Amino acid sequence: VNIKPMEWAGGQLNMLDQRLLPLREEWITLRSWEEVAEAIRTMVVRGAPAIGIAAAYGMVLAARDGVEREVARQGLAASRPTAVNLFWALDRICSLPEWSFERVFKEAREIELEDLQCNLAIGHHGNDLIEPDARILTVCNTGSLATAGHGTALGVIRTAHYEGKELFVYACETRPRLQGLKLTAWELQKEGIPFQSIADSAAASLMRAGKVDLVIAGADRIAANGDTANKIGTYSLAVLAKHHGIPFYIAAPTSTLDPTIATGDLIPIEERSCEEITHIEGVQMAPTDCATFNPAFDVTPGDLITAIITDEGIFRGPYNFARVEAAAR
Ligand code: MRU
């Protein structure tokens, strides 16, 4: 199934508005780098690789409009702090010798196409870890919507499904923004992969009942020691998996590795608005003026991660991505 979160066409960036899915499939048109930054901030587009690609196209619009490169870079970099793919893509564009529409467009296109290739490679490697009848628990949305296509953790599930494996997926709803319930369920349904959406709080009892063979999640930033920032709630799943003796995998492209950060303690964790907790779809659930704490991500320590599946292969702890990155260059 061909799902894309964005498409460059006719000199503008069209984006599927993920805030409206699954009930409405509407595309919006972004005409300036500022509009792209706003779309990332407000989560029209989300998912680490997808926001990196969006930022790259934001730079294309800036180059076309004669905006100073550093102005656009800083503006786009301020949109969301945790996913390193955003900064990785901006750095890649800014290290080009030329600041022209043609050159930046070529690079943005390459970033997008490379991400799709990475996801197919992640799917290929990850498929080796999936039994023919595996029951898989996943969180958030790590599919085509979160990437250039195919997906990371959901990409492994997709590949295994395409290989004819008879999978069953438990998709955690992923409060507060419900990316699992809205987006992952939408993608799984389109693929015809059997699944059930579950409340996040149902994971422990499912594992205890022996209904989960493995957990697989994506990543927003992986520190040199393998500590992994991902959607809030991922860490709880890793602790639960450890307790129940279930493998816990992270799937991510090498653009999500941050070798400059030694441990997860140094990863900046985005805190989002109070309304994401107190309201659901604009309807107030909490008492007026209820205080909230709303971190969008948590960090799973590397020692709870059975393996990290990347486009370059499967890594097992103790992780040292500072070395891997150096070797890859
Ligand atoms: O806040 P979001 O929806 O951007 O968070 C997304 C996630 O946490 C994903 O798991 C991660 O970005 C990997 S997407 C392939």
Side-chain angles (χ1 to χ4, degrees):
V1 183
N2 190 20
I3 300 166
K4 288 186 88 176
M6 71 196 97
E7 199 155 44
W8 178 272
Q12 54 195 28
L13 185 61
N14 298 322
M15 234 179 227
L16 181 56
D17 191 341
Q18 299 193 33
R19 298 167 307 179
L20 305 178
L21 290 172
L23 302 183
R24 279 158 49 205
E25 288 179 37
E26 282 179 25
W27 288 76
I28 62 172
T29 298
L30 306 175
R31 295 184 176 82
S32 66
W33 74 264
E34 289 101 329
E35 287 184 3
V36 176
E38 185 65 5
I40 296 171
R41 196 183 64 75
T42 58
M43 296 178 71
V44 172
V45 64
R46 30 65 50 203
I51 65 178
I53 297 161
Y57 281 114
M59 293 296 275
V60 173
L61 292 167
R64 184 199 61 190
D65 296 343
V67 176
E68 210 181 302
R69 186 169 73 178
E70 202 47 28
V71 169
R73 190 185 71 84
Q74 286 181 18
L76 285 157
S79 57
R80 289 190 79 189
T82 303
V84 77
N85 307 61
L86 175 71
F87 309 101
W88 171 87
L90 290 171
D91 286 351
R92 193 163 146 176
I93 299 281
C94 288
S95 64
L96 294 172
E98 203 188 309
W99 178 236
S100 70
F101 168 77
E102 291 75 18
R103 186 64 193 87
V104 178
F105 177 72
K106 182 169 175 281
E107 198 71 14
R109 196 101 188 126
E110 271 168 25
I111 288 173
E112 185 180 16
L113 294 175
E114 278 173 27
D115 185 61
L116 179 59
Q117 293 310 315
C118 282
N119 295 333
L120 295 170
I122 290 168
H124 173 76
H125 295 306
N127 181 44
D128 289 345
L129 301 169
I130 311 287
E131 295 296 326
D133 56 353
R135 296 158 304 168
I136 305 172
L137 187 138
T138 191
V139 60
C140 197
N141 173 268
T142 59
S144 298
L145 290 169
T147 62
H150 198 69
T152 57
L154 196 52
V156 172
I157 294 171
R158 259 199 178 94
T159 300
H161 171 70
Y162 294 162
E163 292 293 314
K165 294 184 180 173
E166 304 214 339
L167 310 176
F168 191 87
V169 176
Y170 292 107
C172 291
E173 62 173 348
T174 319
R175 269 284 284 157
R177 291 190 64 100
L178 301 174
Q179 290 95 326
L181 182 69
K182 295 178 170 188
L183 309 177
T184 299
W186 186 73
E187 289 200 38
L188 288 168
Q189 224 168 41
K190 277 189 185 288
E191 289 289 356
I193 299 173
F195 75 99
Q196 285 174 334
S197 288
I198 59 166
D200 299 318
S201 41
S205 60
L206 270 179
M207 289 186 195
R208 184 158 179 86
K211 292 187 173 170
V212 178
D213 298 314
L214 65 112
V215 179
I216 184 163
D220 286 84
R221 192 188 296 231
I222 302 174
N225 71 344
D227 291 355
T228 295
N230 190 51
K231 182 51 55 197
I232 191 76
T234 304
Y235 175 33
S236 331
L237 295 173
V239 172
L240 288 174
K242 178 88 173 177
H243 180 77
H244 293 95
I246 296 167
F248 178 91
Y249 300 115
I250 290 291
T254 38
S255 55
T256 304
L257 299 175
D258 186 351
T260 69
I261 279 194
T263 77
D265 296 340
L266 300 167
I267 299 176
I269 300 293
E270 177 183 16
E271 283 186 34
R272 295 189 64 89
S273 75
C274 183
E275 282 69 35
E276 289 188 355
I277 302 287
T278 57
H279 290 59
I280 296 181
E281 297 296 300
V283 179
Q284 186 174 333
M285 300 286 145
T288 302
D289 296 333
C290 175
T292 63
F293 172 51
N294 185 21
F297 302 96
D298 59 23
V299 175
T300 301
D303 60 9
L304 291 180
I305 303 171
T306 313
I308 298 180
I309 307 160
T310 75
D311 43 294
E312 291 187 13
I314 296 174
F315 295 88
R316 292 182 189 266
Y319 302 101
N320 186 348
F321 290 116
R323 216 172 43 213
V324 167
E325 270 287 286
R329 282 199 180 119

